[in-house]
């Protein structure tokens, strides 16, 4: 390169290897050589005007000459038409530089109209993203949690904030598309009386006469009596065509919106996971030299960032040690390890099967107990019987996850992979328990799927035992949500709070051992996903369930935050944040997919209840959509029916296939390019090592001479 300094052994001192005095040295100075390195550009993180390498040491000797040279270099750097993203400056300096370039180009008229509009749209998008980031709640709280307890614990609270956003959106849509149309068209009528002529019986859950306060309290917890005929449940809403369409469309809009938001979060987490697994950003040099944020201000932020880097290095060292041990295993050790893993997985499957059978038995046994007259006479006993499936599910979810945690380390996986396996086994337990409960309810509603049974032959469902089956399903989901909330509050008040008091009264080693605990991220995350899955299942049968879950998550955030900072200590073993950012939304997608099964079966397969709900007197809930379409104009009907024909589906499938093939080909080409760049980087590193060895060899030879 023209004008670049030449490396000469004589310029670096005498034969002893020490640097000669400045007056005795020839060739380039140390500061000029260092400024020629590519890494020197990364040190000018504050933008133009920062003193380069060696400037402080040579300021007294060079005087104004060095400062003048720096000013000329800075002015030259500013005048060159570099893109803002290519400059080694902080984001604020890049933004100012980009705005300055935009103003100059607009003033000179060098941009076309399309380019100006693109600039305006880009600026608007940037400002919108900045505004949305400022609206995110608990930003400082999450940074503090990540710095003190690690990125894994921070990922739990980040997921909780994301689920709170989903529930707020669902609540707004429910209020606008369900509650508002109900009251706009007039007050909804009451339940049909016993004199109403219907071959499927009558349905009036409202209490008669004076009701005692304990009975009202038990009804509030179980969703029965006065609460059963309210806007909280499906049966309250009247059979109006516009309300029926908006009620059904609201379910699909919420599901599609949640799916897109979760996919967006999963894709962003997938990028981090791929980078972490590839090893491109997990080297120790990256953590030590490139992970620091020079824009931090204040001792608190600096300490939090130091702790984050410490946790990252701890994860890297633990996983590197496990990989080293795995590489040293012999064939016999591998066979022994895989035998242990197979036996442990069989044990996990046996525990899961026993739990599923227990949930099914509890649901069937609850139906038998509800028919006992003694249970009907005691409100408290009736409440316990109604909550029996919820109690059994919560007990199983409380007992088995610690067993899974004891089994996971025996498989000798890395900490991140152990977290994944614990999450998988526990989420299968929780979601499958919910499915078993729903299957038991389906068995009661449809007479075991036998439409020719005596109880189901008349109306298509068991109207004698369950006159409004949609409200019954909504009550079960409501009880699961309430019981989960009460369980969390009870654990905080009666277990964690006394532990804190004990640690305060006993400041010794015993107090520290009893009073502090680790924050169990897998259990807490699965509790969130389980609660959200319950809401997705029950939001069709209990429209205000997302609103209740919003209040629950809001209370849960502050409760868990207080518990974390008061009684929890940093985890002794951490895991990658990238694993959490990708795997948690993936499990959330699994919960969303599972929740669609009972909802779609209710819409398409099971006949709606005849004495309640907006779809009464229809053969199926979905039949309201063709009826509404038939009332539209002929052109609109032809267009909507065309969307369901092969003439539309086949070209759409072909276009999607072409786009998919193109995307895969583009990804493969990018992968080959990345591999080539990695090979070049490796070759350049080998060249540097070779040149360094040659320089040392020449220096030793000259010293010997």
């Amino acid at each position: 390169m023209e004008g670049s300094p030449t490396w000469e052994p004589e310029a670096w001192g005498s034969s002893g290897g020490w640097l000669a005095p400045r007056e005795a040295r020839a060739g380039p100075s140390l500061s000029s050589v260092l400024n020629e390195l590519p890494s020197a550009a990364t040190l000018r993180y504050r933008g133009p005007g920062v003193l380069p390498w060696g400037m402080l040491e040579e300021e007294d000797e060079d005087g104004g000459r060095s400062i003048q040279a720096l000013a000329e270099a800075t002015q030259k750097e500013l005048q060159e038409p570099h893109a803002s993203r290519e400059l080694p400056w902080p984001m604020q300096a890049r933004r100012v530089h980009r705005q300055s370039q935009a103003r100059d180009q607009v003033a000179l008229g060098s941009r076309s109209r399309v380019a100006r509009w693109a600039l305006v749209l880009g600026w608007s998008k940037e400002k919108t993203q900045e505004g949305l980031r400022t609206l995110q709640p608990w930003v400082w709280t999450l940074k503090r949690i990540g710095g003190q307890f690690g990125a894994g614990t921070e990922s739990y609270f980040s997921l909780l904030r994301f689920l709170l956003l989903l529930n707020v959106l669902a609540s707004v849509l429910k209020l606008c598309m369900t509650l508002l149309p109900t009251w706009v068209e007039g007050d909804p009528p009451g339940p049909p009386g016993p004199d109403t002529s219907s071959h499927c019986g009558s349905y009036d859950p409202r209490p008669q006469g004076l009701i005692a306060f304990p009975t009202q309290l038990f009804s509030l917890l179980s969703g029965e009596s006065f609460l059963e005929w309210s806007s909280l449940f499906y049966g309250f809403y009247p059979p109006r065509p516009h309300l029926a369409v908006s009620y059904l469309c609201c379910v699909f809009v919420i599901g599609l919106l949640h799916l897109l938001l979760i996919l967006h979060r999963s894709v962003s987490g997938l990028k981090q996971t791929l980078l972490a697994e590839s090893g491109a950003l997990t080297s120790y040099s990256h953590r030590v030299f490139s992970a620091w944020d020079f824009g931090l201000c204040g001792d608190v932020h600096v300490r939090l960032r130091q702790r984050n880097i410490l946790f990252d290095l701890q994860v890297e060292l633990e996983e590197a040690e496990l990989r080293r041990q795995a590489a040293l295993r012999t064939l016999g050790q591998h066979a022994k390890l895989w035998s242990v893993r197979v036996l442990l997985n069989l044990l996990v499957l046996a525990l899961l099967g026993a739990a599923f059978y227990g949930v099914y038995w509890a649901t069937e046994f609850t139906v038998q107990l509800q028919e006992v007259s003694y249970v009907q006479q005691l409100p408290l006993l009736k409440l316990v019987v109604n909550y029996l499936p919820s109690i059994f599910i919560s007990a199983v979810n409380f007992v088995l996850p610690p067993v899974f945690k004891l089994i996971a380390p025996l498989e000798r996986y890395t900490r991140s992979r152990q977290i994944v396996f614990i999450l998988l086994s526990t989420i299968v337990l929780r979601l499958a328990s919910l499915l078993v409960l729903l299957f038991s309810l389906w068995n009661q509603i449809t007479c075991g799927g036998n439409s020719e049974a005596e109880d189901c032959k008349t109306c298509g469902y068991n109207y004698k035992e369950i006159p409004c089956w949609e409200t019954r399903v909504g009550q079960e989901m409501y009880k699961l949500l309430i019981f989960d909330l009460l369980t969390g509050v009870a654990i905080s008040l009666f277990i964690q709070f006394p532990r804190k008091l004990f640690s305060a009264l006993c400041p010794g080693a015993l107090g520290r051992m009893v009073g502090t605990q680790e924050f169990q991220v897998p259990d807490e995350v699965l509790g969130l996903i389980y609660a959200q899955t319950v809401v997705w299942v029950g939001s069709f049968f209990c429209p205000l369930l997302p609103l209740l879950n919003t209040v629950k998550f809001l209370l849960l955030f502050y409760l868990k935050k207080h518990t974390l900072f008061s009684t929890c200590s940093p985890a002794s073993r951490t895991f990658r944040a990238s694993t959490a950012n990708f795997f948690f939304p993936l499990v959330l997608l699994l919960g969303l997919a599972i929740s669609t099964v009972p909802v779609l079966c209710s819409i398409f397969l099971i006949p709606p209840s005849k004495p309640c709900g907006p779809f009464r007197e229809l053969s199926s809930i979905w039949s309201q959509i063709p009826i509404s379409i038939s009332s539209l104009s002929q052109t609109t009907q032809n267009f909507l029916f065309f969307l369901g024909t092969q003439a539309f589906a086949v070209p759409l499938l072909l276009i999607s296939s072409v786009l998919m093939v193109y995307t895969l080909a583009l990804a493969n080409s990018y992968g080959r390019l990345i591999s080539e760049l990695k090979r070049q980087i490796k070759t350049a590193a080998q060249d540097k090592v070779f040149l360094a060895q040659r320089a040392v060899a020449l220096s030793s030879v000259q010293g010997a001479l």
Side-chain angles (χ1 to χ4, degrees):
M1 181 177 180
E2 186 177 356
S4 61
T6 57
W7 291 84
E8 298 179 0
E10 294 81 6
W12 292 92
S14 59
S15 59
W18 296 91
L19 292 177
R22 183 178 181 85
E23 294 80 0
R25 280 185 275 141
S29 64
L30 178 60
S31 62
S32 62
V33 171
L34 292 176
N35 284 327
E36 293 294 330
L37 293 176
S39 59
T42 62
L43 297 178
R44 296 196 300 273
Y45 60 89
R46 293 188 180 91
V50 179
L51 296 178
W53 283 97
M55 181 58 70
L56 294 178
E57 292 82 354
E58 300 176 6
E59 186 175 1
D60 296 335
E61 299 177 2
D62 295 343
R65 178 175 57 84
S66 300
I67 298 177
Q68 183 179 2
L70 173 63
E72 293 177 356
T74 302
Q75 186 67 24
K76 181 179 179 181
E77 188 181 54
L78 288 174
Q79 291 176 356
E80 292 179 354
H82 290 298
S84 300
R85 67 179 61 183
E86 297 178 359
L87 295 175
W89 297 353
M91 294 302 298
Q92 186 66 26
R94 293 180 184 179
R95 190 175 296 112
V96 173
H97 181 264
R98 182 169 61 252
Q99 293 174 356
S100 176
Q101 282 186 339
R103 285 194 299 268
D104 294 341
Q105 291 177 353
V106 170
L108 295 176
S110 59
R111 286 184 177 268
S112 63
R113 185 180 299 273
V114 177
R116 292 178 185 177
W117 275 108
L119 179 64
V120 172
L121 290 177
W123 179 82
S124 302
K125 180 180 178 182
E126 181 180 353
K127 290 299 181 182
T128 303
Q129 292 176 352
E130 290 181 0
L132 292 177
R133 283 193 295 267
T134 57
L135 293 177
Q136 290 182 350
W138 309 315
V139 176
W140 164 244
T141 302
L142 292 183
K143 289 184 179 179
R144 183 185 173 194
I145 292 172
Q148 189 166 345
F149 297 94
T153 307
E154 181 186 359
S155 63
Y156 163 78
F157 287 90
S158 177
L159 179 64
L160 179 56
R161 182 178 64 179
F162 176 70
L163 293 179
L164 184 63
L165 170 64
L166 296 184
N167 284 275
V168 168
L169 293 176
S171 302
V172 172
L173 290 174
K174 285 289 185 180
L175 292 175
C176 295
M177 300 181 67
T178 303
L179 276 182
L180 192 59
T182 302
W183 297 100
V184 165
E185 298 184 14
D187 295 337
D195 55 344
T196 304
S197 60
S198 175
H199 58 279
C200 293
S202 61
Y203 173 69
D204 189 1
R206 294 179 299 182
Q208 303 295 330
L210 185 62
I211 305 300
F213 176 74
T215 305
Q216 291 183 352
L217 180 61
F218 296 151
S219 300
L220 180 64
L221 294 176
S222 61
E224 297 178 352
S225 187
F226 69 95
L227 203 61
E228 187 171 350
W229 191 264
S230 66
S231 56
L232 182 63
F233 291 109
Y234 165 93
F236 170 79
Y237 295 92
R240 297 168 180 169
H242 297 291
L243 174 61
V245 173
S246 63
Y247 191 100
L248 189 57
C249 291
C250 181
V251 176
F252 292 106
V253 170
I254 291 175
L256 181 60
L257 182 62
H258 285 187
L259 177 62
L260 294 177
L261 291 175
I262 296 173
L263 286 177
H264 179 268
R265 187 178 178 89
S266 301
V267 170
S268 61
L270 177 61
K271 296 177 182 178
Q272 300 176 5
T273 304
L274 292 177
L275 286 174
E277 296 297 333
S278 64
L281 296 180
T282 56
S283 60
Y284 306 116
S285 59
H286 167 72
R287 302 294 180 190
V288 175
F289 296 108
S290 304
W292 189 255
D293 185 4
F294 290 96
L296 296 176
C297 299
D299 295 337
V300 177
H301 296 82
V302 170
R303 286 196 297 270
L304 290 178
R305 185 58 183 168
Q306 288 174 345
R307 289 171 181 169
N308 273 326
I309 297 176
L310 176 62
F311 282 123
D312 291 340
L313 289 175
Q314 181 181 354
V315 173
E316 295 295 336
L317 292 173
E318 288 180 356
E319 295 193 356
E321 178 63 21
L322 289 175
R323 286 192 294 267
R324 186 188 66 82
Q325 294 177 2
L328 297 177
R329 293 193 189 108
T330 61
L331 181 60
Q333 291 175 342
H334 276 290
K336 180 180 178 181
L337 180 60
W338 279 104
S339 301
V340 172
R341 288 175 178 175
V342 170
L343 293 177
L344 292 176
N345 288 324
L346 291 177
L347 176 61
V348 170
L349 292 176
L351 292 175
L352 292 176
F356 300 155
Y357 177 77
V359 173
Y360 182 80
W361 170 84
T363 307
E364 296 293 333
F365 189 61
T366 300
V367 177
Q368 298 177 8
L369 289 178
Q370 287 175 347
E371 298 176 355
V372 180
S373 59
Y374 182 73
V375 174
Q376 297 291 335
Q377 296 174 0
L378 297 177
L380 180 59
L381 185 59
K382 181 180 178 182
L383 179 66
V384 173
V385 170
N386 290 335
Y387 267 91
L388 186 58
S390 302
I391 293 173
F392 192 87
I393 290 175
S394 299
V396 168
N397 292 331
F398 182 77
V399 173
L400 288 186
V403 177
F404 296 153
K405 281 187 219 171
L406 295 176
I407 293 176
L410 300 177
E411 296 179 303
R412 296 186 183 180
Y413 288 114
T414 61
R415 176 62 174 170
S416 300
R417 188 165 293 183
Q418 287 180 23
I419 294 294
V420 170
F421 286 142
I422 293 173
L423 284 172
L424 282 176
S425 57
T426 312
I427 199 62
V428 168
L429 170 66
R430 287 180 176 264
L431 298 184
S433 300
L434 181 61
L435 286 179
V436 171
L437 174 62
L438 293 172
F439 174 76
S440 178
L441 291 174
W442 174 83
N443 196 19
Q444 298 174 21
I445 294 169
T446 62
C447 302
N450 184 13
S451 59
E452 299 299 327
E454 182 179 356
D455 294 334
C456 298
K457 187 175 182 180
T458 304
C459 300
Y461 65 96
N462 192 354
Y463 69 94
K464 295 181 179 179
E465 294 184 4
I466 311 175
C468 187
W469 64 265
E470 295 92 347
T471 298
R472 172 66 184 278
V473 176
Q475 287 175 343
E476 293 296 332
M477 300 301 106
Y478 173 80
K479 287 186 286 188
L480 287 175
L481 181 68
I482 295 298
F483 190 79
D484 191 35
L485 175 61
L486 294 178
T487 303
V489 174
I491 290 175
S492 300
L493 293 179
F494 300 111
I495 296 179
Q496 295 173 347
F497 183 68
R499 291 179 66 173
K500 179 184 177 182
L501 291 179
F502 184 82
S503 63
L505 296 175
C506 300
L510 180 61
R512 289 193 301 270
M513 181 181 66
V514 176
T516 58
Q517 59 180 340
E518 291 186 6
F519 191 80
Q520 302 296 332
V521 176
D523 292 344
E524 301 294 342
V525 167
L526 291 177
L528 294 180
I529 297 175
Y530 170 74
Q532 187 60 44
T533 306
V534 169
V535 172
W536 280 328
V537 173
S539 60
F540 178 77
F541 312 101
C542 183
L544 297 186
L545 204 61
L547 183 60
L548 298 178
N549 202 39
T550 301
V551 178
K552 173 191 171 183
F553 279 165
L554 193 62
L555 177 63
L556 189 65
F557 182 89
Y558 290 103
L559 189 63
K560 293 298 182 181
K561 173 190 170 184
H562 175 73
T563 303
L564 181 68
F565 285 106
S566 60
T567 63
C568 294
S569 60
S572 58
R573 298 182 64 192
T574 59
F575 58 95
R576 295 184 189 274
S578 58
T579 303
N581 293 332
F582 169 67
F583 191 74
F584 291 169
L586 189 63
V587 178
L588 200 60
L589 279 176
L590 178 62
L592 180 60
I594 290 176
S595 64
T596 58
V597 176
V599 175
L600 293 179
C601 288
S602 302
I603 293 175
F604 291 99
L605 299 181
I606 306 178
S609 299
K610 299 304 182 287
C612 65
F615 303 97
R616 64 187 76 171
E617 303 300 335
L618 295 176
S619 59
S620 67
I621 295 177
W622 178 254
S623 62
Q624 180 64 47
I625 300 299
I627 294 174
S628 301
I629 292 177
S630 62
S631 62
L632 300 175
S633 62
Q634 189 63 36
T635 305
T636 307
Q637 293 183 35
N638 294 335
F639 174 74
L640 293 177
F641 285 121
F642 170 74
L643 296 180
T645 59
Q646 295 180 355
F648 176 78
V650 173
L652 181 62
L653 180 62
L654 292 177
I655 294 174
S656 302
S657 302
V658 171
L659 291 177
M660 186 179 298
V661 171
Y662 171 75
T663 304
L664 292 176
L666 192 63
N668 291 331
S669 63
Y670 285 158
R672 290 192 296 268
L673 179 60
I674 291 173
S675 301
E676 181 64 23
L677 291 175
K678 288 181 178 180
R679 188 188 63 80
Q680 293 179 6
I681 291 173
K682 186 177 180 180
T683 305
Q686 293 174 353
D687 293 342
K688 292 179 181 179
V689 172
F690 174 76
L691 292 175
Q693 293 174 351
R694 294 292 297 170
V696 171
L698 290 175
S699 299
S700 60
V701 170
Q702 290 184 356
L705 294 177

